[in-house]
Amino acid sequence: MAAQRLAQACVKEIAEDAGVAKPTVYNHLSDKETLFRHTLEAAADAVLAENLAVVERLRDPGDDLCAALEDTGHRLLKVCGGERSSALRWLTYSQVGGFPDLIEAVQSRTSDRLTEALADRLARLVLAGRLRPCEPALAAQQFLALLTGPLEARSRLGTRKVTAPETRAVADAAVDTFLRAYGT
């Protein structure tokens, strides 16, 4: 079912789209608003799982830390610019009037937990002497900002899709800047 139809959809339509009986929806969820929240939370969890799998690459970056960070950055941008992440972002923002707490709920499940996982990996790189001593949480926030900031500006309001060469260039530039600040 299209996201635009949420407000107009009845529980019967939602059940049909889900391939279940209407009482099944009510047995598990009290109303369509609860269904909507659970759906967005599940989508946020899926995006987080994709991002955590990418960050896991930094557990063992190999001999070339720059290449590992570039690969991680590029893959994070692919997830961030992917269909699921984009739909989640747009749906969250479009429904914030009816669900004001939704942005915080989605952010805590996606960007906040991604930042924590990345901070953990960066802390391990600091302990291994691969990065200079720093506050890992701040370094993680800065790395993610270096990655996502330029792409948000380029794809403002979804007016155009950012190309793979652009994401690669942004990831490479982000890593270059990051290593100038945090490299040994």
Side-chain angles (χ1 to χ4, degrees), residues 10-21:
C10 65
V11 174
K12 181 180 178 210
E13 290 175 309
I14 293 169
E16 287 172 1
D17 281 357
V20 298

Side-chain angles (χ1 to χ4, degrees), residues 10-11 14 22-38:
C10 65
V11 174
I14 293 169
K22 183 177 172 181
T24 303
V25 174
Y26 281 115
N27 286 339
H28 293 283
L29 304 159
S30 58
D31 53 32
K32 71 179 180 182
E33 287 78 17
T34 303
L35 174 63
F36 178 69
R37 285 181 188 283
H38 282 283

